[in-house]
Amino acid sequence: MEPDRRPPARRRLLTGAAAIAAATALGPLSATSAHAHPHSDGPYHPDGPADPADLGDLGDLADLAVQAGTENYPPLHWSPAAPANFTAANRPGQYAIDMVVVHVTQESFGDTLRLFQDPAHKAAAHYVVRSADGYIAQCVHEKDVAWHAGNWGYNTRAVGIEHEGWTDDPKWFSDVLYAQSARLTAAVCDRYGIPKDREHIIGHVEVPGTDHTDPGQYWDWAHYMELVAAANR
């Protein structure tokens, strides 16, 4: 059900001494501490089962993925955002999905997940990709509207993918991050019939009205789009 008023449009990541101190105290984030799905090494369905505890084993999850046409998704690890950071919906029936928005976190992977789990943050993306190993956390189901683009219309029609790193430091954009993200983007495009081109796979900076610059000048769009085109063939 839609809220009476539209959610805050702008994605703001917490900064400052307080956030840094909190992150230091919390320490590195593991798959377990990020509330990973208990079947995190198998193909987790992008819209999630109603109750993961009702599923017996990885085979059940694989069957769900194949039945839904999502067998080409890379391994997904469920790390739910706070409900205050997205709008529950029934996409694509309620809103058509025809776009992928590429983001860069400007935070560590662990801090990003912690922010998405904070009800006061008022923002979250569907996915976050870790730089070191391409591990993908899913924070919002694709059927729901994540608040990531800074534009309500784009939020309703897009899947948002965050990438761990900083826009002014290209070393965060590792080969495995590009590869796993491209595989995810290709699977999303295949699932919803989204053309795999730069009109439909865009950076946050390209969203109308945004004040964000990510993914920035060091994001290798040519390489990324080649990987997307080659993925899942």
Side-chain angles (χ1 to χ4, degrees):
M1 181 177 181
E2 290 294 330
D4 291 336
R5 61 185 180 86
R6 291 180 178 177
R10 182 166 297 170
R11 179 177 70 93
R12 293 191 180 278
L13 292 177
L14 298 178
T15 57
I20 294 171
T24 302
L26 286 167
L29 189 77
S30 67
T32 301
S33 62
H35 307 296
H37 189 274
H39 297 308
S40 59
D41 290 332
Y44 181 75
H45 190 285
D47 287 330
D51 183 357
D54 291 338
L55 296 178
D57 54 32
L58 292 179
D60 293 329
L61 288 171
D63 288 344
L64 281 173
V66 171
Q67 290 166 12
T70 59
E71 65 271 21
N72 289 327
Y73 276 71
L76 306 176
H77 309 263
W78 182 232
S79 181
N85 294 334
F86 63 90
T87 298
N90 187 27
R91 304 191 306 170
Q94 188 174 359
Y95 303 106
I97 299 175
D98 63 2
M99 187 169 291
V100 174
V101 178
V102 172
H103 302 267
V104 171
T105 60
Q106 299 296 107
E107 296 281 355
S108 71
F109 179 86
D111 286 347
T112 300
L113 296 190
R114 278 185 278 267
L115 288 171
F116 289 176
Q117 292 161 0
D118 178 1
H121 185 54
K122 305 302 182 186
H126 293 93
Y127 297 102
V128 187
V129 185
R130 190 160 61 192
S131 173
D133 54 7
Y135 177 106
I136 301 173
Q138 182 175 9
C139 303
V140 179
H141 292 143
E142 289 178 8
K143 66 184 179 65
D144 294 327
V145 178
W147 302 349
H148 62 96
N151 177 308
W152 176 248
Y154 276 66
N155 282 344
T156 63
R157 62 190 290 202
V159 169
I161 304 176
E162 288 277 4
H163 300 82
E164 181 186 22
W166 280 261
T167 58
D168 61 352
D169 189 352
K171 76 172 183 290
W172 289 93
F173 305 147
S174 63
D175 289 343
V176 68
L177 176 141
Y178 276 124
Q180 288 295 89
S181 174
R183 185 179 169 193
L184 174 60
T185 292
V188 170
C189 289
D190 289 342
R191 185 182 187 195
Y192 301 106
I194 303 171
K196 297 174 184 176
D197 58 38
R198 286 285 284 114
E199 290 184 14
H200 297 86
I201 303 171
I202 68 170
H204 193 179
V205 66
E206 297 170 84
V207 174
T210 187
D211 60 357
H212 287 252
T213 61
D214 55 313
Q217 63 177 319
Y218 296 113
W219 182 260
D220 191 340
W221 276 110
H223 176 55
Y224 186 67
M225 297 304 294
E226 287 178 356
L227 292 174
V228 171
N232 302 332
R233 284 182 176 173

